[in-house]
Amino acid sequence: MVASWWSRARLGIFVHWTPASVPGWAPPYLPAAELPAAGRRAPLGWTSYAEWYENALRFPGSPVAAHHRATYGNRPYTDFGRDFEDGLTGWDPAAWARSFREAGAGYAVLVTKHHDGFCLWPSETENPHRSGWHTTRDVVGEFAEAVRAEGLRFGVYYSGGLDWTFDDRPIGTAADMFSAVPRGRYPAYADAQLRELIRRYRPDILWNDIAWPASADEIRSLVDFYRFTVPHGVVNDRLLPYAPHWRGLGLPGAKALYNWWDRRTVAQGEGFVPRTPPVFDFRTPEYARYEGSDPYEITRGVDHSFGYNRNSGPGAFIDRATLTSLVRDTAADGGNVLLNVGPRGEDATIPAEQRLRLEWLAEEAGALTPDGPTPG
């Protein structure tokens, strides 16, 4: 059974903030059926998720590749790591945390390492392929301290299934994604980093993404360590154990079959519901409703991206009525909403369109949960 504090929270704030937040650009959202032919063959290269910028660059015909050539020329993605660090100068984590609490959130989850492998803390686990690919400032620690000071619980997101510093093949489809779960030194690296995050920050929420590069037994060992360290902690549903057949998904026949099967199993509309792993406390439907009986958390951005996308027009953002009904109806059903904000990479600010959604929630915080305002 999931911890009672998590069930009572009703609303959490997700923060995707990576070097991709510096260019902060992705094409507008289009349903797969409306993508151009190239995009239909490789939709993840044409995604509206701006945090996938580095991957989209690997498709020369993609909108991101064209934008990058026009804006940055041949500048490598790794340069954005320095820009991101420079942008931390004016960061005010206390102001972020205050706005999250005023919006009625009971917890906040920070992306500590996304698929590009960039870490938001000075990790003691050295990346063997990209030395220094992390902040010198302890962003994770400062964020945790700020949100806890406002009475919120703190969670860490970690991309266990993908790390493009270990495997940088272009990912165009679900089959490509699972075949790109790194092997070699990566399983030990990911295990060491996540245990480091657990020891250092004792997160109330462990939020893995995509999959885990090791077996179900190794996942249970990791989760046992987490539960021993943080007895009240909760674990999401994306610790999917590595399957050896994933390596074969790069073969044309296997790839086509898997992608056909994947299209049949995703949720209707924009999003999807992850497959069920052996260990979890709550489900995480993404841009989708959940019809099951497990505790669940609907996760989505305020627009069609998680990372900051300066190319999102006004019509891309969730409107007030839809946002408030989403939070209210999900709470009435016993679920949570994990609403994402994507700060700008160049100056560590939450853009105006995103702040406005937090302000709407703050204005209606008392009416959005069955029991009134959510305590921190």
Side-chain angles (χ1 to χ4, degrees), residues 158-179:
Y158 186 85
S159 174
L162 294 176
D163 189 314
W164 298 328
T165 67
F166 283 80
D167 193 319
D168 63 358
R169 74 185 74 184
I171 298 172
T173 67
D176 295 336
M177 181 168 66
F178 283 102
S179 68

Side-chain angles (χ1 to χ4, degrees), residues 27-47 61-63:
Y29 169 77
L30 284 175
E34 297 178 23
L35 288 173
R40 284 198 297 271
R41 289 194 298 271
L44 291 175
W46 270 249
T47 182
S62 72

Side-chain angles (χ1 to χ4, degrees), residues 209-276:
D209 202 7
I210 307 295
W212 192 251
S215 69
D217 285 345
E218 289 167 300
I219 289 171
R220 290 188 182 93
S221 173
L222 179 62
V223 172
D224 285 348
F225 171 72
Y226 173 60
R227 296 200 193 284
F228 176 80
T229 308
V230 188
H232 63 271
V234 295
V235 179
N236 81 327
D237 62 345
R238 303 194 184 190
L239 282 163
L240 193 68
Y242 177 79
H245 72 264
W246 288 351
R247 302 306 283 181
L249 292 177
L251 300 174
K255 177 176 178 177
L257 181 63
Y258 187 89
N259 288 329
W260 171 82
W261 179 78
D262 185 73
R263 285 193 297 272
R264 292 191 63 198
T265 57
V266 296
Q268 294 298 312
E270 301 172 53
F272 70 97
V273 178
R275 297 179 184 91
T276 307

Side-chain angles (χ1 to χ4, degrees), residues 67-347:
H67 169 79
H68 190 85
R69 286 192 297 269
T71 309
Y72 302 105
N74 295 322
R75 191 179 185 200
Y77 179 81
T78 50
D79 276 6
F80 296 132
R82 294 195 296 270
D83 294 345
F84 184 91
E85 284 248 61
D86 292 342
L88 291 173
T89 304
W91 180 41
D92 187 351
W96 284 16
R98 185 167 56 253
S99 69
F100 301 162
R101 190 257 305 159
E102 290 171 349
Y107 57 92
V109 179
L110 177 68
V111 170
T112 64
K113 187 207 80 165
H114 203 259
H115 311 330
D116 64 1
F118 187 80
C119 298
L120 267 62
W121 82 102
S123 178
E124 63 193 32
T125 308
E126 184 178 355
N127 186 316
H129 303 292
R130 195 174 292 177
S131 179
W133 190 233
H134 58 74
T135 56
T136 53
R137 185 169 169 178
D138 187 3
V139 172
V140 177
E142 291 184 48
F143 183 93
E145 181 179 4
V147 298
R148 283 169 166 159
E150 291 290 339
L152 279 66
R153 302 279 185 163
F154 164 68
V156 298
Y157 163 109
Y158 186 85
S159 174
L162 294 176
D163 189 314
W164 298 328
T165 67
F166 283 80
D167 193 319
D168 63 358
R169 74 185 74 184
I171 298 172
T173 67
D176 295 336
M177 181 168 66
F178 283 102
S179 68
V181 174
R183 303 304 296 151
R185 300 171 68 178
Y186 181 66
Y189 173 84
D191 183 86
Q193 279 208 322
L194 199 51
R195 288 174 187 265
E196 181 185 339
L197 287 166
I198 292 166
R199 285 194 305 270
R200 288 180 65 160
Y201 307 110
R202 285 171 166 69
D204 304 289
I205 303 164
L206 203 62
W207 216 104
N208 184 65
D209 202 7
I210 307 295
W212 192 251
S215 69
D217 285 345
E218 289 167 300
I219 289 171
R220 290 188 182 93
S221 173
L222 179 62
V223 172
D224 285 348
F225 171 72
Y226 173 60
R227 296 200 193 284
F228 176 80
T229 308
V230 188
H232 63 271
V234 295
V235 179
N236 81 327
D237 62 345
R238 303 194 184 190
L239 282 163
L240 193 68
Y242 177 79
H245 72 264
W246 288 351
R247 302 306 283 181
L249 292 177
L251 300 174
K255 177 176 178 177
L257 181 63
Y258 187 89
N259 288 329
W260 171 82
W261 179 78
D262 185 73
R263 285 193 297 272
R264 292 191 63 198
T265 57
V266 296
Q268 294 298 312
E270 301 172 53
F272 70 97
V273 178
R275 297 179 184 91
T276 307
V279 180
F280 71 96
D281 292 317
F282 62 94
R283 305 288 272 133
T284 60
E286 187 166 317
Y287 284 90
R289 292 287 186 177
Y290 182 63
E291 305 297 335
S293 58
D294 294 309
Y296 73 94
E297 168 193 82
I298 294 174
T299 180
R300 59 155 296 153
V302 296
D303 57 354
H304 295 288
S305 179
F306 285 92
Y308 168 53
N309 184 6
R310 67 183 78 245
N311 195 37
S312 286
F317 291 87
I318 190 169
D319 62 70
R320 184 168 188 156
T322 303
L323 176 59
T324 54
S325 65
L326 173 66
V327 176
R328 184 187 300 112
D329 294 349
T330 304
D333 189 49
N336 290 357
V337 172
L338 183 62
L339 185 70
N340 181 81
V341 295
R344 288 156 51 106
E346 62 265 41
D347 58 13

